[in-house]
Amino acid sequence: ERIKYTREMTMELMESEAVDECTLHETNGDEERYKNSDFPYIGNFHKTLPTNEYGEVIPEEYENLLKCIESGDVEVCVDVLPDSSRLANPIAGIYVVSQGKQPFQIVVDPPPTIASAEMACQYVEVAWMSVVRDVPFADYGVSPLIKQAASDIQNMKGCQNQGRNEYFWRPYHASIDPQTELFRLDIFGTTRGPIVSQFLYHDIYIDGIPIK
C-alpha cells in the first residue's frame, strides 16, 4: 500500500509541476549587441575561459562555450572547452530533474546592460566595498571614508533609478545613512540596524577548532 501511495503521489506531483507552454527567458541583449564589436562578448559570463592581456574573453573560446551549451552533450563540452576550464557543469541548466520544477521553468529578470547607468552604479558600489573593507562596521556612522562612499554612490544617476532590477540590488535615494543603508540588498531583515558580521555573530570553526 505504501508503494502504491508513493507512486500515485509522485505522479500527481509531476502532473502539477508539468507545463505545456514554453518559458521565455529574456536577456539584456549584450551578447548580440557586442558580438561583432571591438569588444566581443565583453558583458557575458566567461569565467575560467582564456582571455587576452586585458582580461577580455577570447571570442573563439566563448563561442566554444556556446557550442557546448547548445549541444547538450558532455562529450562535446570536453572536446571544445580548454583543459584550463574548470566549469563544474556548463549544461546543468538544460538538465531534466525528477523533483520539483524543471530548471528551464524558473525565470529571473535579466541584469542591466554592461553600458547602462545601473551597471555603472553596481561597479562603483563594488569598488567602494573593496576600498573600505578594513573599516569596522561599528565605525560606519563616523568614518570619513564611509561618508565619502555614501556621497559618491548617492550622487550617481544609475544608483537612484527606481526602475532597475530589484533582483540584484535596491535603488539608493538622495540621502544615504552610511551606517544603516550603505551596501545593502533589499532582502528581509538585512536593512534593519547596522551591519553585523556573520563571523562575529556566530561561532566558527577553523580546522575543526571552535572559535567563539
Side-chain angles (χ1 to χ4, degrees), residues 115-202:
S116 66
E118 293 80 12
M119 188 59 75
C121 169
Q122 190 173 36
Y123 286 145
V124 170
E125 188 176 39
V126 171
W128 268 115
M129 287 181 182
S130 177
V131 171
V132 304
R133 59 189 172 192
D134 292 328
V135 178
F137 291 145
D139 294 343
Y140 266 38
V142 296
S143 168
L145 199 58
I146 291 294
K147 292 181 179 180
Q148 183 181 350
S151 175
D152 190 17
I153 291 173
Q154 71 188 16
N155 289 324
M156 292 190 65
K157 178 181 178 181
C159 295
Q160 300 177 11
N161 188 348
Q162 296 295 325
R164 66 186 182 166
N165 193 322
E166 295 292 339
Y167 178 78
F168 291 93
W169 67 94
R170 65 189 180 121
Y172 285 106
H173 53 80
S175 180
I176 302 172
D177 182 339
Q179 189 169 25
T180 61
E181 297 181 309
L182 191 62
F183 308 141
R184 300 298 184 94
L185 287 173
D186 196 11
I187 300 174
F188 177 78
T190 64
T191 57
R192 297 180 61 185
I195 299 177
V196 178
S197 171
Q198 66 270 30
F199 296 111
L200 299 177
Y201 189 74
H202 292 288

Side-chain angles (χ1 to χ4, degrees), residues 15 23 31-32 36 56 60 99 101 103-104 110 115 122-123 145 177 180 187 190 201 205:
E15 287 294 331
T23 304
E31 185 174 274
E32 297 79 11
N36 298 314
E56 301 163 352
E60 293 77 13
Q99 296 179 338
K101 290 183 178 293
F104 57 80
Q122 190 173 36
Y123 286 145
L145 199 58
D177 182 339
T180 61
I187 300 174
T190 64
Y201 189 74
Y205 290 82

Side-chain angles (χ1 to χ4, degrees), residues 69-106:
I69 297 172
E70 291 167 358
S71 73
D73 189 331
V74 174
E75 296 301 324
V76 172
C77 296
V78 172
D79 289 338
V80 301
L81 293 178
D83 292 338
S84 61
S85 178
R86 292 294 181 268
L87 290 170
N89 191 349
I91 56 176
I94 61 174
Y95 275 11
V96 174
V97 297
S98 59
Q99 296 179 338
K101 290 183 178 293
Q102 298 301 318
F104 57 80
Q105 292 179 260
I106 302 172

